[in-house]
Amino acid sequence: MLLAKEQQVYKQLDQVYDPELDQPLTELGFIDHTKIDGNQVQVVFRLPTYWCSPNFAFIMAEDIRTSISQLEWVREVKVNLIDHCASDEINQGVSKGKRFSESTSRFGASDGELDELRRTFQIKAFYAREEKLIKHLLAQGLSKEVIIAMTLEQLHQLPLTEEGQNMRSRYVEKKAQLNHAGFWAFTTPEGEALTPEGFADYLLGAKRTRLSMEFNGHYCRGLLEARYDLEATATEGT
């Protein structure tokens, strides 16, 4: 029974992403361990450095709490960020359901700034996921004209490899988070249609965003491995 609960907890944690890197905390090695006591769950996580941005850390802690709380049998979630300059404030604030500004006043950031930061990261993740999917479709022989004119329904019906299906699911998920209720499958983060004239430049800009995120991901993994003397974690190909 305990093993089943632990598997459920880690399945939920697989859905919690570093907001800046758009990678699961479990894959990055940020989850140190979990502890389950009846219907109470404690999640202990760590970051690459002592000075990692408190607002980034708060977002992750908050998302951990929200994700684990979705399990029907869970009644209490304790998030424990260790070895961080704002560990005490973040742990107490998130566990009590407080806002960022209530928890970390000494860092001087507002809840509005945190909301804007979430939005910024969502847009970057949108660019990265969209570019990877478009690149995959181009490699499968689809022309830019077909891709630009594709509707969201057509994208859902498109026969894809398992890798392509995963890219599509990740992209559509991020598209939904940005509240895109439009007709077209591929748009700007603001929901505007792509054009043939601007397609190449748009894709290049999206690629630069993705490569920057992937570089930062490799860098953070390296810092974490050095800090905690860990074996190298698996990395995504570029």
Side-chain angles (χ1 to χ4, degrees), residues 130 175 180 184 186-195 202:
E130 183 178 40
K175 190 173 178 68
H180 285 186
W184 305 111
F186 297 101
T187 66
T188 68
E190 296 74 30
E192 298 175 358
L194 304 183
T195 65
Y202 179 83

Side-chain angles (χ1 to χ4, degrees), residues 55-113:
N55 46 13
F56 293 8
F58 190 89
I59 288 174
M60 284 182 261
E62 199 171 48
D63 289 350
I64 288 172
R65 183 176 186 272
T66 298
S67 183
I68 301 303
S69 296
Q70 292 172 357
L71 293 171
E72 292 184 357
W73 54 270
V74 173
R75 295 294 176 267
E76 182 181 350
V77 180
K78 181 178 181 181
V79 181
N80 186 9
L81 171 63
I82 59 174
D83 303 335
H84 189 270
C85 63
S87 289
D88 291 342
E89 294 99 324
I90 290 173
N91 293 336
Q92 292 176 19
V94 170
S95 293
K96 294 179 180 179
K98 292 184 177 180
R99 298 280 289 173
F100 180 68
S101 59
E102 296 176 304
S103 307
T104 57
S105 57
R106 70 184 172 104
F107 294 101
S110 69
D111 293 317
E113 289 173 332

